[in-house]
């Protein structure tokens, strides 16, 4: 009879995860290039001990995984020549100490040597993995839709845009970076200069999901409470006999 | 219940965002001010089930793992170097920079600082100084008997004297550019300082390749766009409120737990 308590507990543990993911999406409501995370649950079926007395099985909920919603975020015009957004699928490759990483956050800068870098100082590369070096004093920087960087009319490099056959296999690393064990393939998506892709988190959806999660959590609590009442009732009645 | 601290990171980030926006609005009439923008990044992820882990002997793998993000962090507060609008003042010693570059200013401790605010004045001895009285480099002294001062687009300072037809060349204002303007450290008082991130300055004169030109009688206004700042302010406030909802919800869930008997 205690099973209902365990089932409710499994539900509450799952909902606890769900609220963490929702809270993280809301915290990143204004993070450039952020992609919302979604949770998936699956049923875990526990078979009864004696098959003769079927249906004697319980199914509880376990978290199967999280997946990323790769819908595009809204584009925001910044007017900054070193801000870029990708129109369509794809990522900018970034060379970090730990290896190549991929990002959708195209708010880049120049470092003291004139290399195109992210906020963390990691060089942004072309599709082949070479950094983009701008000549000293470069001011008139124009980047075409294909990512080609020209300074005063001279082509100095091409910002890479790559994609993956299965973007869900990417691992989130934080700081807007993703890593992958699979090799990327070049993407045909256009690079837009002077724009930044905002977060694709939809606040209304997240808030309603949060309310739903809270109510579900409280409902599961009701199950625990009534089971407790039943046990108490039984103890009292049996004690009277 | 990580949602409590995740919501807190979100609220702190938006608080900083509001502070940056307020500073932009406060400096909407500051000469040579460049608007700033707070940029955010997602924080670490806890990998609870690693994506791609094998799920059987036959080579099947997890198509997506369990990755729980832990909130948001501030990545940078970057400056937007867009040219500010030029406002006519007709003051002889007001100079605006059109295009890249900074004026060089000598600080009292001997260091060089850089500024785009060209609202210069004269010291008691006729030296061209900033509004704080710091001499502009190289030092240019305008004699007391000068009738009129003319500054060319290349920054050459000429003075006219009584009885002379030809103006006298007193010197030329120098400019500095940096590879990474965003790497300069803001000192306040419209001054910036060189850092390792900005790179060493390239010194030149106005009109050279890579340098802007100088306009006498104008000042470069702030490049703050009030409409977009107010829109950003509304967005930041709403984002702040929504993050407070995460905390509220997490709190109510915890309250439910404490009612467990």
């Amino acid at each position: 009879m205690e099973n209902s308590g365990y089932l409710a507990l499994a539900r509450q543990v799952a909902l606890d995860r769900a609220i963490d993911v929702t809270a993280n999406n809301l915290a990143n409501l204004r993070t450039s290039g952020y992609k919302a995370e979604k949770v998936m649950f699956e049923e875990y079926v526990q078979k009864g001990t004696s098959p003769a007395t079927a249906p004697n099985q319980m199914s509880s909920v376990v978290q199967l995984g999280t997946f990323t919603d790769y819908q595009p975020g809204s584009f925001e015009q910044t007017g900054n020549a070193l801000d870029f957004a990708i129109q369509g699928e794809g990522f900018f490759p970034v060379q970090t100490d730990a290896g190549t990483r991929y990002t959708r956050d195209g708010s880049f800068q120049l470092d003291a040597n004139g290399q195109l870098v992210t906020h963390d100082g990691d060089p942004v590369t072309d599709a082949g993995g070479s950094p983009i070096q701008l000549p000293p004093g470069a001011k008139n920087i124009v980047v075409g839709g294909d990512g080609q960087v020209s300074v005063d009319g001279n082509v100095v490099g091409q910002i890479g845009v790559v994609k993956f056959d299965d973007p869900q296999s990417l691992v989130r690393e934080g700081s807007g970076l993703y890593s992958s064990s699979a090799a990327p393939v070049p993407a045909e998506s256009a690079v837009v200069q002077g724009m930044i892709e905002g977060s694709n988190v939809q606040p209304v959806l997240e808030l309603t999901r949060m309310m739903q999660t809270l109510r579900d959590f409280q409902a599961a609590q009701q199950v625990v409470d009534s089971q407790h009442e039943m046990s108490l009732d039984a103890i009292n009645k049996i004690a009277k006999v | 219940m990580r949602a409590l601290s995740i919501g807190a990171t979100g609220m702190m980030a938006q608080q900083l965002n509001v502070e940056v926006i307020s500073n932009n609005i406060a400096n909407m009439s500051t000469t040579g001010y460049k608007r700033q923008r707070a940029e955010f990044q997602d924080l670490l992820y806890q990998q609870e089930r690693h994506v791609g882990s094998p799920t059987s002997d036959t080579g099947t793998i997890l198509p997506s793992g369990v990755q729980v993000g832990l909130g948001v962090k501030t990545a940078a507060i970057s400056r937007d170097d867009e040219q500010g609008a030029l406002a006519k003042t007709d003051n002889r010693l007001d100079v605006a920079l059109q295009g890249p570059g900074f004026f060089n200013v000598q600080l009292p401790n001997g260091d060089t600082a850089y500024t785009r605010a060209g609202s210069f004045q004269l010291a008691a001895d006729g030296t061209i100084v900033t509004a704080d009285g710091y001499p502009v480099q190289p030092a240019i002294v305008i004699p007391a008997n000068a009738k009129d001062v003319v500054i060319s687009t290349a920054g050459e300072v000429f003075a006219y004297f009584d009885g002379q037809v030809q103006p006298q060349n007193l010197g030329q204002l120098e400019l500095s550019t940096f590879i990474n303007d965003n790497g300069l450290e803001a000192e306040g008082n419209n001054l910036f300082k060189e850092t390792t991130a900005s790179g060493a300055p390239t010194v030149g004169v106005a009109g050279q390749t890579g340098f802007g030109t100088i306009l006498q009688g104008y000042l470069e206004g702030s490049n703050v766009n009030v409409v977009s700042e107010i829109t950003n302010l509304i967005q930041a406030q709403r984002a702040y409120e929504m993050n407070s909802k995460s905390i509220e919800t997490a709190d109510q869930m915890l309250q439910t737990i404490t009612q467990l008997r």
Side-chain angles (χ1 to χ4, degrees):
Chain A
M1 198 173 73
E2 293 79 24
N3 286 343
S4 57
Y6 289 126
L7 293 182
L9 182 64
R11 177 100 179 106
Q12 286 185 319
V13 169
L15 290 168
D16 182 35
R17 295 283 173 79
I19 200 78
D20 287 347
V21 170
T22 310
N24 188 49
N25 285 341
L26 279 176
N28 287 290
L29 196 58
R30 306 279 304 143
T31 301
S32 306
Y34 181 79
K35 296 292 167 201
E37 253 185 308
K38 301 278 161 75
V39 275
M40 279 186 293
F41 296 110
E42 69 178 345
E43 190 182 25
Y44 177 76
V45 179
Q46 194 183 353
K47 291 272 168 13
T49 40
S50 96
T53 56
N56 178 16
Q57 59 183 33
M58 320 188 297
S59 63
S60 51
V61 61
V62 289
Q63 190 178 13
L64 173 64
T66 50
F67 67 99
T68 308
D69 178 359
Y70 283 107
Q71 277 186 52
S74 57
F75 282 16
E76 227 174 277
Q77 182 142 24
T78 64
N80 194 331
L82 295 177
D83 282 343
F84 306 102
I86 300 175
Q87 206 164 25
E89 57 181 345
F91 298 87
F92 295 114
V94 176
Q95 195 62 49
T96 70
D97 287 345
T100 307
R101 297 289 180 266
Y102 307 92
T103 187
R104 292 276 301 185
D105 175 7
S107 52
F108 300 139
Q109 299 179 1
L110 292 182
D111 70 1
N113 304 318
Q115 253 182 24
L116 195 65
V117 295
T118 65
H119 289 308
D120 296 319
D122 298 322
V124 179
T125 68
D126 59 15
S130 338
I132 315 255
Q133 178 74 49
L134 276 73
K139 291 295 171 194
N140 191 10
I141 304 161
V142 176
V143 175
D146 54 355
Q148 202 157 70
V149 187
S150 40
V151 175
D152 299 323
N154 303 318
V155 175
V156 295
Q158 188 170 19
I159 301 173
V161 179
V162 295
K163 64 178 183 180
F164 295 88
D165 293 333
D166 177 17
Q168 294 300 342
S169 68
L170 293 172
V171 177
R172 287 168 176 261
E173 301 241 312
S175 304
L177 300 177
Y178 296 80
S179 66
S180 175
S181 48
V185 290
E188 300 297 318
S189 311
V191 175
V192 189
Q193 192 181 17
M195 297 267 229
I196 274 201
E197 185 186 4
S199 165
N200 74 344
V201 174
Q202 288 171 296
V204 178
L205 255 170
E206 298 294 338
L207 278 182
T208 38
R209 188 171 293 132
M210 190 153 40
M211 271 149 51
Q212 178 81 50
T213 309
L214 175 63
R215 296 304 162 207
D216 289 352
F217 195 87
Q218 287 167 340
Q221 192 59 45
Q222 285 288 320
V223 176
V224 178
D225 282 348
S226 35
Q227 197 232 319
H228 176 75
E229 293 286 332
M230 277 166 68
S231 312
L232 209 64
D233 208 31
I235 292 165
N236 286 340
K237 279 185 179 150
I238 293 165
K240 275 184 192 146
V241 170
Chain B
M1 196 70 68
R2 284 167 289 211
L4 268 179
S5 54
I6 294 170
T9 64
M11 285 181 81
M12 285 188 290
Q14 292 312 320
Q15 188 181 329
L16 182 89
N17 199 3
V18 170
E19 284 161 2
V20 171
I21 295 168
S22 323
N23 190 45
N24 283 343
I25 296 176
N27 285 294
M28 59 181 276
S29 331
T30 303
T31 305
Y33 180 79
K34 300 291 173 197
R35 65 171 178 264
Q36 292 186 310
R37 189 178 69 200
E39 318 223 15
F40 301 106
Q41 287 180 340
D42 43 357
L43 208 61
L44 295 173
Y45 283 83
Q46 281 183 337
Q47 310 284 346
E48 299 196 345
R49 279 178 92 181
H50 217 280
V51 58
S53 309
T55 51
S56 71
D57 292 343
T58 54
T60 54
I61 56 161
L62 273 183
S64 58
V66 177
Q67 314 176 36
V68 184
L70 295 180
V72 66
K73 67 175 179 207
T74 312
I77 298 177
S78 61
R79 251 190 320 278
D80 217 327
D81 299 323
E82 206 183 52
Q83 171 82 38
L86 300 185
K88 196 169 170 63
T89 65
D90 280 337
N91 190 326
R92 288 288 176 227
L93 290 174
D94 280 346
V95 282
L97 262 176
Q98 200 171 21
F102 292 87
F103 296 110
N104 306 331
V105 176
Q106 194 182 9
L107 297 181
N109 63 6
D111 287 354
T112 305
Y114 305 91
T115 186
R116 279 187 71 91
S119 50
F120 299 139
Q121 298 177 11
L122 288 186
D125 61 353
T127 313
I128 298 181
V129 295
T130 67
D132 290 315
Y134 303 150
V136 177
Q137 294 287 95
I140 294 170
V141 180
I142 295 175
N145 58 345
K147 205 172 57 173
D148 196 6
V149 176
V150 174
I151 301 173
S152 72
T153 52
E156 283 172 312
V157 182
F158 296 96
Y160 283 93
F161 295 96
D162 274 335
Q164 286 181 19
V165 180
Q166 285 295 322
Q168 191 184 329
N169 190 339
L170 300 176
Q172 190 169 16
L173 292 169
E174 281 181 356
L175 299 180
S176 295
T177 58
F178 295 87
I179 289 177
N180 175 22
D181 285 351
N182 248 312
L184 290 172
E185 189 181 313
E187 285 280 296
N189 299 330
N190 292 338
L191 298 176
F192 294 96
K193 273 190 152 175
E194 174 195 341
T195 67
T196 46
S198 68
T202 312
V203 180
V205 291
Q208 276 183 344
T209 318
F211 290 87
T213 51
I214 288 175
L215 274 171
Q216 189 186 19
Y218 286 86
L219 281 179
E220 184 189 4
S222 154
N223 71 351
V224 173
N225 180 340
V226 188
V227 178
S228 71
E229 293 301 329
I230 298 289
T231 326
N232 289 343
L233 194 62
I234 294 170
Q235 285 178 333
Q237 189 190 354
R238 294 298 168 218
Y240 187 81
E241 283 170 9
M242 282 171 202
N243 278 294
S244 77
K245 287 282 174 217
S246 311
I247 295 180
E248 213 176 290
T249 307
D251 178 41
Q252 284 183 31
M253 284 169 75
L254 283 172
Q255 209 177 355
T256 308
I257 297 171
T258 53
Q259 283 161 5
L260 276 173
R261 273 174 288 181

